[in-house]
Amino acid sequence: MATTAKEIKEFEEKQEWWWVAEKTRSSRLDYLRKAVWKKGALGGNYAPGIEIDLEFPELYTETWQENEGDPIMLRKAKSIGNVLENLPIFITDQSQIVGCVGSAPHNIVSYWQGASMINEEIYNEQGILPQPEEKSLERLAALNEYWGGNTALDELAKVLDPEDAVKFMSGAIGWGTPSSAVGYATKDFRHIGKGFENIIEEIDENMERTDKLLRGNPSPDLLPLYDKLPRWEAMQEVLDAAIEYAARYARLARIIAENFETDPKRKEELLRIAETCERVPAQPPRTLQESIQYDHFVQVVVRYETYEGAMPHRPDYLHGPFFDKDVNINKSITRDDALDLLGEHLIRTYEIGIFSPRWTREGLQGITGTWVWTMGGVNEDGTDACNDCTTAYMQVARLVRIANPTFSFRWHPKVKDELMREIFECIRHGLGYPSLRNDPILVENAMYWHGHPLREARQWVTQSCMSPCPPTKYGCQPFRMASATANCAKIVEYTLHNGYDNVVNMQMGPKTGNAVDFKTYDEFFEAWTKQMKWLLNILVRTVALGRAKDPEFFSRPILSAYYERAVETGTDAVDYTNGERGNAWVTAFTWVENADSLAAVKKLIYDDKKYTMAELIEALKNNWDGKEEMRLDFVNNAPKWGNDDDYVDDIMVQCLKTTAAHGKEIKCVCGNNIPILPENVSGNIHYANVVSALPNGRRLGDALYDGGISPGPGLDKKGPTAVLKSCGKIDHVLDGRAFLLNQRLSPTQLAGEKGYQLWKSYVKSWDDLGMDHVQFNMVDDSTLRAAQKDPEKYQEVIVRVAGYSAHFVDISRKTQDNIIQRTVQGLG
Amino acid sequence: MKCVACGFEGPVDKFRYLYNARIDASMSMRQCPKCNEWNAVDELKDEALEIVNPGDAPWGKSAGIEGISA
Amino acid sequence: MTRKKRSSRRDNKWNQMRDGLTNLSTAKGVEARETVPDIACGKCKNFSESPYASDGRGSCSVVKTGSDFTVDPPLILLEGDTGMMCMFNMDAAKCSHFDLMDIIDTDGNECADPQFRRAQRQMEKAMS
Ligand code: SF4
């Protein structure tokens, strides 16, 4: 029975937005949304029914074994080619966009060439083995034994400094795999958009020119050219394979249309799919459907090369002209048709599922990767880049309500009010996105830290959750980040324990002295500074070596074909000598604990002398057991970040400026600076049992703070303006790369026009204070509690975790409780 | 401390510390080593108060202003 | 005469640990991978699972790097800055410091807890 307008109104009034979505979206979107598998881990485990794809690694390994004598990039290209040409494919009913990572809709994939420890983890994993289990175990054991000791990470471990390797892989001080095997890369869409056949032709010309040179006068300059030829050949091989992959979909669509489909409308759609796949990615797109299909093939195909855990992208910018042409100028499709295409674009992206090692799953609960799409912003010349497609993406996001991809909106003063209202509606509907990014601040930041020229900086996309990167010829960043992710709460922990880690039982940081002997706070802070420098240094140098060795140990033929600079120079995209400018940063997880802990030490130990350092250290070693009154004193009677209190805010700024100064001393492989970027994803939960008790009052086991500069949950007691004022004391250009702020708002308070106006004035204050990021949760406690009690009923409730959104029922209990603990701020 | 569910008795650190209910309150959750149930524990008194089930909030509401209407 | 090594950093405990890291999963075939002995490091209070890799590697908080259970009698060192690397299913029958845990949490949905949680499929089976 059709839902009436009155019923929809009732759902709106009850703020049950998931029902509003279900009742108002097209039947096609409704079907596709319900048919797609949930591939993000539920907390740390995959959902029942999700299976690891074994055909993919077997096809890959088969060709890899056959081509032992080839240079690595060519060997790899042939292996990927075998997969793209032979892995089973399928077309989902009612679908108009095709292509999937994996041989079946419920599969997740992994890359056996990457890391033995991940391969063994898959073997040991609960619940993802295809049935019969005994057969799968045999297949997995065979794969693991072939690759064991020979993966990219195994090779890297052999050349890393042994002490660095052990500490890095302890899992205590940071996360990440120093290899392209687990990473993400910016895509050079301007180059990719030429059409794969045109890129193949460009490569042909480069090879012919090189062949000619090689037959000419001998010179030492010619020697490197010999290595370029097989690389170019590898790039052509994968581009050809990608064209064939699309052609297989075209054939499948035609076979179904001509032999099996009885519905004439669907038959027509299948034939359109066939024509689309015959056109793209071989040739540049001409219509919205071709443009989205092209884009999707680009994203899918590269995930047969490696784990790409993020999706730096600007889809409204890319598809906007086609949207405008088809919907508004030629009127070849209706706006509803276009919404169906954009909605399916979101759903097909959500479908991409890659096996993540457990620490990644725990840090990115509920999603398969941070598909944060960048929207809005400006053009190269500074004019407003928002278009009708931006608006349409906002509208369709509310209809399909998926948690991945999410949007990061490049806000600037010229954004029109109508679009701001669309953005607010997404937030009000509880999606948790788009996050707001302050475009002028981030353009300036990109120029200050990495020297990107203005016109390039203005094109920035979110590289993963937060960090901007220009997707340009020399701006593109091919490796996860060329730096690292630091578990920064360890800085203050090691300062207190002379560098010793009581969780992993190891002398980890430098011996900066027994904290009991520090006579002043300045001495304490000096030790903190040494621990901070050590932490950044060990992570950066480890990842830098991984980056430098990556072309030799892993290799990226597809990404290389996607990069103009790699095609031009016959180099691997990851090769840091091919002109890349460098856009590295260190993600600073668990950062704010430093400010609150240092403030507590300064106040209660050095200023008030209420406790001795020895007493504090003893209490921390015992996880505050038996010292509850003292612990509460450290929580309640020491200033906390986020209350506009200069005592602690000055410490936060001092920590950031000291770290920023070090960021100007250390260099990435390209010779550029490395700022920090405080944020957490759900690493604050992953590290809860890895970071010892701290002077801010947390115990080992407690969730760490959720944001990069968000106050501790429940510790921001002075309201949203005080939070903004504290955060506004940070220089968002000079002090780091970007700063993540989570805010919870009341859906009741922000109802109606008045709610919009309150929110808009909040955004104005946020901009006035020069901040670069803010994101909002707008779901009330009672809904979240009800969802914990009765998860079946609340499958569609979405929350902003940190840097990404997830369905509330897909995150672990501790993460859920952590979100509920966050203060709901009243505006106005 | 005595588990509310099964009556197991032992010193508080015998119970697996899970996490706090709020950092600024003396309430935490600990798991009984015998029956594995989650106890809400008053850390000032070393006393298990109740069993915590999904959706329960023994510590009350978040610090926010949920429910206000402007 | 054996040449004296010049770089002690290349032949020290860190090197031993790194080798431990890369050669830990030496089990071959299905049967060896599936076995969790009754007395295994993963069931011991002193085992701390690595939050980095869930193939089940970890370190011991009592027995230090350089110890060796494969020799007879086993070599057990209790002094040093770094705990011995071990696997959840490493046979600890010869370890005099084995101390059975009260709670072994095999719930893979919750997040890393080096001291209590063992989320491997084999542990889930062994504990059920
Ligand atoms: S069994 Fe022995 S080596 Fe293994 S974790 Fe326990 S004490 Fe350490």
Side-chain angles (χ1 to χ4, degrees), chain A residues 588-722:
Chain A
F589 279 3
T590 64
W591 173 259
V592 183
E593 278 75 5
N594 284 287
D596 278 2
S597 296
L598 287 170
V601 166
K602 185 171 191 288
K603 177 96 174 78
L604 297 172
I605 309 282
Y606 292 106
D607 290 359
D608 297 357
K609 300 192 174 28
K610 194 164 176 188
Y611 302 94
T612 64
M613 184 65 85
E615 280 175 288
L616 173 64
I617 291 175
E618 191 56 25
L620 296 177
K621 278 191 175 154
N622 293 321
N623 208 21
W624 296 104
D625 277 350
K627 296 280 177 195
E628 184 59 11
E629 270 178 53
M630 179 180 173
R631 189 190 73 80
L632 287 172
D633 216 6
F634 274 75
V635 178
N636 295 322
N637 296 321
K640 293 286 177 288
W641 168 252
N643 293 291
D644 190 22
D645 180 338
D646 284 341
Y647 190 93
V648 55
D649 295 357
D650 287 351
I651 290 175
M652 171 68 122
V653 171
Q654 183 190 22
C655 289
L656 284 168
K657 289 203 184 299
T658 309
T659 309
H662 189 55
K664 285 275 174 185
E665 287 163 3
I666 53 178
K667 300 261 181 277
C668 77
V669 288
C670 305
N672 218 335
N673 300 134
I674 307 186
I676 64 158
L677 190 163
E679 69 148 334
N680 269 322
V681 281
S682 54
N684 63 318
I685 308 292
H686 167 74
Y687 283 126
N689 289 295
V690 181
V691 174
S692 294
L694 293 177
N696 68 333
R698 77 173 290 278
R699 289 185 167 88
L700 171 69
D702 293 338
L704 291 134
Y705 300 170
D706 52 276
I709 52 167
S710 305
L715 294 174
D716 44 347
K717 301 197 187 273
K718 300 251 172 81
T721 312

Side-chain angles (χ1 to χ4, degrees), chain A residues 24 57 83 88 105 130 263 283 335 398 412 438 458 482 499 524 574 596 636 692 733 742 793-794 798:
Chain A
T24 51
V83 173
D263 175 2
Q283 295 297 325
R335 193 177 176 85
R398 303 200 292 273
H412 57 82
N438 197 329
R458 280 177 173 161
F524 191 87
V574 178
D596 278 2
N636 295 322
S692 294
V733 174
N742 286 322
K793 258 193 176 163
Y794 292 86
I798 294 176

Side-chain angles (χ1 to χ4, degrees), chain C residues 41 44 46-47 60 63 69 84 92 95 97-98:
Chain C
C41 285
C44 174
N46 300 319
F47 179 77
C60 179
V63 178
F69 292 163
M84 181 177 79
C95 179
H97 296 269
F98 176 81

Side-chain angles (χ1 to χ4, degrees), chain A residues 313-319 342 345-346 371-378 384-387 389-394 396-397 405-412 415 419 423 433-437 439 460-462:
Chain A
H313 198 5
R314 218 178 155 190
D316 59 338
Y317 189 76
L318 196 68
H319 306 306
L342 299 187
H345 188 202
L346 295 170
W371 318 144
V372 180
W373 286 355
T374 310
M375 300 277 180
V378 294
D384 184 11
C386 301
N387 56 48
C389 193
T390 320
T391 306
Y393 268 117
M394 298 299 155
V396 85
T406 65
F407 307 151
S408 162
F409 182 74
R410 289 176 47 180
W411 177 90
H412 57 82
V415 175
L419 183 54
I423 288 162
Y433 63 89
S435 62
L436 293 190
R437 309 305 307 276
D439 213 32
W460 71 268
V461 293
T462 306

Side-chain angles (χ1 to χ4, degrees), chain B residues 4 27-30 38-42 47-52 58:
Chain B
V4 177
M27 184 92 64
S28 71
M29 283 174 278
R30 291 183 183 258
W38 289 24
N39 284 259
V41 176
D42 182 335
E47 193 186 330
L49 303 176
E50 61 182 85
I51 296 302
V52 187

Side-chain angles (χ1 to χ4, degrees), chain A residues 99-142:
Chain A
C100 184
V101 183
S103 58
H106 62 298
N107 280 8
I108 50 175
V109 302
S110 188
Y111 310 88
W112 261 257
Q113 190 203 350
S116 295
M117 59 172 77
I118 297 178
N119 300 345
E120 288 300 336
E121 186 173 333
I122 292 171
Y123 182 94
N124 295 347
E125 185 62 39
Q126 299 176 359
I128 58 164
L129 303 180
Q131 295 299 328
E133 186 177 285
E134 305 78 63
K135 185 80 199 132
S136 292
L137 289 175
E138 277 170 26
R139 291 166 77 184
L140 278 166

Side-chain angles (χ1 to χ4, degrees), chain A residues 625 628-629 631 635-636 699-702 714 717 748-749 780-781 785 788-789 813-814 817 820-821 824 826, chain B residues 13 17-26 30 43-44 52 54-57 59 62 64-66 68 70:
Chain A
D625 277 350
E628 184 59 11
E629 270 178 53
R631 189 190 73 80
V635 178
N636 295 322
R699 289 185 167 88
L700 171 69
D702 293 338
K717 301 197 187 273
T748 326
Q749 189 194 18
D780 60 28
D781 283 358
R785 286 282 172 218
Q788 283 188 320
K789 227 175 204 146
R813 170 78 196 271
K814 191 188 282 194
D817 283 343
I820 297 171
Q821 284 175 16
V824 178
Chain B
D13 62 4
Y17 181 81
L18 294 165
Y19 52 95
N20 60 21
R22 290 179 54 104
I23 194 170
D24 55 352
S26 62
R30 291 183 183 258
E43 295 282 340
L44 277 173
V52 187
D56 288 352
W59 50 88
S62 89
I65 46 98
E66 197 44 51
I68 69 153

